[in-house]
Amino acid sequence: MFDTLQDRLQSAFKNLRGKGRLSEADIDAVAREIRVALLDADVAVPVVREFIANVKERASGAEVSQALNPAQQVIKIVNDELVTILGGETRRIRYAKNPPTVIMLAGLQGAGKTTLAGKLSLWLKEQGKSPMLVACDLQRPNAVTQLQVVGEQAGVTVFAPEPGNGVGDPVQVATAGLAEARRTLHDVVIVDTAGRLGIDAELMQQAADIRAAVDPDEVLFVIDAMIGQDAVVTAQAFLEGVDFTGVVLTKLDGDARGGAALSVRSITGRPIMFASTGEKLTDFETFHPDRMAGRILDMGDMLTLIEQAEKAFDADQAAKDAERLMGGSFTMEDLLKQLEGIAKLGSMSKVMGMIPGMGQYKEQINNFDERQFDKIKAIIKSMTPAERDNPKIIDGSRRLRISKGSGTEVKDVNSLVEQFFGMQKMMQQMAKGGGIPGMPGIPGMPGAGKRAGAKQKPQQKKKGKRVSGNPAKRAAQETAAPKNEGANAFGFPTQGGQDFELPKELKDLL
């Protein structure tokens, strides 16, 4: 969602790099580009004005003029101001002292309230809570049925005494749901309310009546992050009519401009608490302003990536696997485990987007075909245990059988086996401490494959070629010497003006 904004901001900062001092003209120029980038991203005009004024004020002071690297200091200022307009600090749910905690969802139709109710209930369940969903959207066709399906997927209780489709009183259902939660000892109640295609008095009155009836601890305003400038108008209307305590952004995985995320907090003064980043129930996360600012500025979000990895991987099993790999043992079964673990983290574009500096490879990441992982997993699962443990026994007839079993072609099996042998060779080389094959200058893992306390032979200096004292012969030697033996942009050595060529298996792995 923030791809365009990210590109525009990176372009603005590019002109600052390499400058020892920043003039007032430099600061004005970068402020102008940031202003255009924010307005192009559909950020509300009042928010843009305040943001630019704060950046220019700080950039013109001693904070930048006395910095060793003024360009980096300006980027830090922009990052700090982004964190401020996104909320500053992470806002957590305030649970009631006497359960159940009541959370009411409000918003327009199509914002994703019902799906979000299921995501929030699953998230609360993972936090050790016992949530219950209450179906108070009795207007939209099949809204009650949808909530029941989502609740079943999340494995939580759904209270739905009325069939919906225009039948029933939502205020009575909300009151009865709260009483049922107390009786069944559920400690969190999530009330899903009705929405409308637009803001009207009936919608606001119904939401206000439900709020008065259940006295919720949190009222979450669910807003579609793709609606742009209209997000501000909608948020202000709900703030006046319902007075929500927090905001939830949905559809953050969309390709719209994302100005709502940067506008709604500043305009309403209410914090953004959660973000929905996909269609699955697990595509839901706590909103961290500092991490989101890091993503926008292509600084990555390693903390979120680590948290997701901790959920996806078993720590003890991962430690055992790592120890085995460092011992030089690498099989098809290990490769299958790694691929399945990566799949649990989400799409490759989502994972790579959390790594710092990956914005420059955006096009390649977006063009990556996720189905390649499925094809590889299908091929490995079509192998016998013996073939997975020792792929060297996979001859022509076995490859034909595996290709038929996985619905692929023999060339696909051949390609996977060849790439696997390359990876296996690299793992064995790293385990011996000899570095990555074909990549000089990159050592192996510290201590890997070395016996503790073993003495290392001192490296002998290589004797250089003797330079002749005869000027004519010396000129001939210099002419014959290889040219441009430096390093390219990636740190690999260059010989004779040609870049160092990586081996095929390593290219495929990277």
Side-chain angles (χ1 to χ4, degrees):
M1 172 160 285
F2 297 108
D3 285 356
T4 304
L5 178 59
Q6 185 184 89
D7 292 341
R8 297 291 291 270
L9 289 177
Q10 290 301 317
S11 176
F13 297 143
K14 193 177 294 183
N15 298 327
L16 295 178
R17 294 189 175 96
K19 294 189 176 184
R21 293 181 64 87
L22 296 183
S23 65
E24 190 173 339
D26 293 329
I27 295 173
D28 288 341
V30 74
R32 192 180 308 114
E33 291 187 50
I34 294 173
R35 182 188 296 112
V36 173
L38 293 173
L39 290 174
D40 189 52
D42 271 344
V43 181
V45 175
V47 178
V48 175
R49 285 177 182 157
E50 182 182 357
F51 182 87
I52 295 299
N54 292 340
V55 169
K56 289 184 70 174
E57 182 181 354
R58 290 183 60 185
S60 301
E63 185 178 355
V64 171
S65 62
Q66 297 178 5
L68 294 176
N69 191 329
Q72 288 295 330
Q73 196 65 26
V74 170
I75 295 174
K76 179 183 180 300
I77 290 171
V78 173
N79 179 68
D80 292 344
E81 293 301 323
L82 273 177
V83 172
T84 301
I85 67 171
L86 287 170
E89 296 181 354
T90 304
R91 163 77 151 75
R92 309 286 181 178
I93 290 180
R94 294 169 182 161
Y95 295 103
K97 293 181 179 179
N98 299 315
T101 300
V102 181
I103 301 174
M104 174 180 163
L105 304 181
L108 292 179
Q109 197 174 92
K113 290 190 303 301
T114 304
T115 304
L116 183 89
K119 291 182 177 183
L120 180 58
S121 65
L122 179 61
W123 183 83
L124 288 166
K125 186 179 175 184
E126 291 174 348
Q127 306 298 313
K129 302 295 182 181
S130 175
M132 184 177 80
L133 298 173
V134 179
C136 292
D137 184 357
L138 306 180
Q139 303 296 323
R140 182 168 61 88
N142 293 319
V144 174
T145 305
Q146 182 189 354
L147 188 67
Q148 289 172 328
V149 171
V150 169
E152 184 179 353
Q153 291 174 345
V156 300
T157 304
V158 178
F159 182 75
E162 299 289 350
N165 299 323
V167 178
D169 182 1
V171 178
Q172 289 182 359
V173 171
T175 306
L178 184 57
E180 177 68 12
R182 289 196 179 101
R183 187 184 71 81
T184 54
L185 301 179
H186 287 87
D187 54 8
V188 180
V189 176
I190 301 172
V191 181
D192 180 31
T193 63
R196 293 289 189 279
L197 294 176
I199 299 168
D200 58 28
E202 184 183 357
L203 165 69
M204 292 301 174
Q205 188 58 50
Q206 186 182 99
D209 291 344
I210 293 175
R211 172 164 189 160
V214 298
D215 188 22
D217 300 281
E218 297 279 11
V219 179
L220 301 183
F221 172 52
V222 183
I223 188 167
D224 184 349
M226 300 175 68
I227 64 174
Q229 293 277 2
D230 196 46
V232 175
V233 178
T234 307
Q236 285 179 319
F238 271 88
L239 183 64
E240 295 169 3
V242 186
D243 189 23
F244 53 85
T245 59
V247 179
V248 181
L249 292 172
T250 62
K251 306 178 186 177
L252 269 184
D253 57 323
D255 56 359
R257 296 173 181 176
L262 300 174
S263 304
V264 69
R265 164 64 178 81
S266 295
I267 295 296
T268 64
R270 300 294 188 269
I272 303 172
M273 295 176 59
F274 297 100
S276 176
T277 57
E279 296 181 0
K280 297 179 182 178
L281 291 183
T282 52
D283 294 334
F284 179 79
E285 59 190 44
T286 303
F287 187 87
H288 301 279
D290 53 340
R291 301 184 191 181
M292 184 58 68
R295 291 190 207 181
I296 294 172
L297 294 177
D298 195 24
M299 295 177 181
D301 185 3
M302 293 304 295
L303 288 175
T304 299
L305 184 58
I306 291 168
E307 288 174 359
Q308 292 182 357
E310 287 175 345
K311 291 180 183 178
F313 294 95
D314 179 73
D316 294 335
Q317 186 61 42
K320 292 178 183 177
D321 291 343
E323 187 177 350
R324 217 157 39 78
L325 292 178
M326 285 299 99
S329 175
F330 183 66
T331 66
M332 284 285 187
E333 194 67 42
D334 296 317
L335 178 59
L336 180 62
K337 284 181 182 178
Q338 297 300 319
L339 292 175
E340 288 177 339
I342 292 172
K344 290 178 183 178
L345 295 176
S347 67
M348 184 57 66
S349 58
K350 179 182 175 183
V351 172
M352 298 303 282
M354 295 182 187
I355 299 176
M358 294 306 293
Q360 57 186 316
Y361 305 112
K362 199 175 299 171
E363 187 175 346
Q364 295 93 317
I365 293 171
N366 291 335
N367 291 334
F368 178 78
D369 189 358
E370 303 280 348
R371 292 174 297 179
Q372 291 297 325
F373 282 161
D374 296 331
K375 182 186 286 187
I376 293 173
K377 287 191 283 187
I379 292 173
I380 297 176
K381 288 180 178 179
S382 297
M383 297 178 183
T384 64
E387 290 168 345
R388 296 186 198 181
D389 191 56
N390 183 19
K392 291 181 179 178
I393 67 173
I394 304 177
D395 54 19
S397 61
R398 289 174 183 263
R399 296 185 187 206
L400 179 61
R401 190 204 79 239
I402 292 169
S403 67
K404 289 182 178 179
S406 59
T408 58
E409 298 181 18
V410 175
K411 65 178 183 180
D412 296 321
V413 181
N414 292 340
S415 176
L416 175 61
V417 172
E418 288 175 11
Q419 291 180 40
F420 172 79
F421 285 141
M423 288 185 251
Q424 191 179 53
K425 181 180 177 183
M426 185 179 67
M427 290 294 181
Q428 291 171 349
Q429 186 76 12
M430 290 175 67
K432 293 175 182 177
I436 300 177
M439 294 184 69
I442 300 183
M445 298 296 290
K450 307 277 192 198
R451 187 165 44 86
K455 292 183 179 180
Q456 304 296 325
K457 291 182 179 179
Q459 292 184 349
Q460 295 181 353
K461 292 184 179 180
K462 293 183 179 180
K463 293 182 179 180
K465 195 170 182 179
R466 186 176 178 182
V467 180
S468 174
N470 188 319
K473 287 185 178 180
R474 186 166 63 246
Q477 286 177 344
E478 290 174 355
T479 304
K483 297 179 180 178
N484 197 24
E485 289 194 352
N488 64 12
F490 298 98
F492 299 124
T494 56
Q495 297 178 350
Q498 298 296 320
D499 277 357
F500 181 83
E501 184 70 14
L502 291 175
K504 178 181 181 301
E505 64 266 22
L506 191 57
K507 280 183 177 178
D508 294 334
L509 175 64
L510 293 174

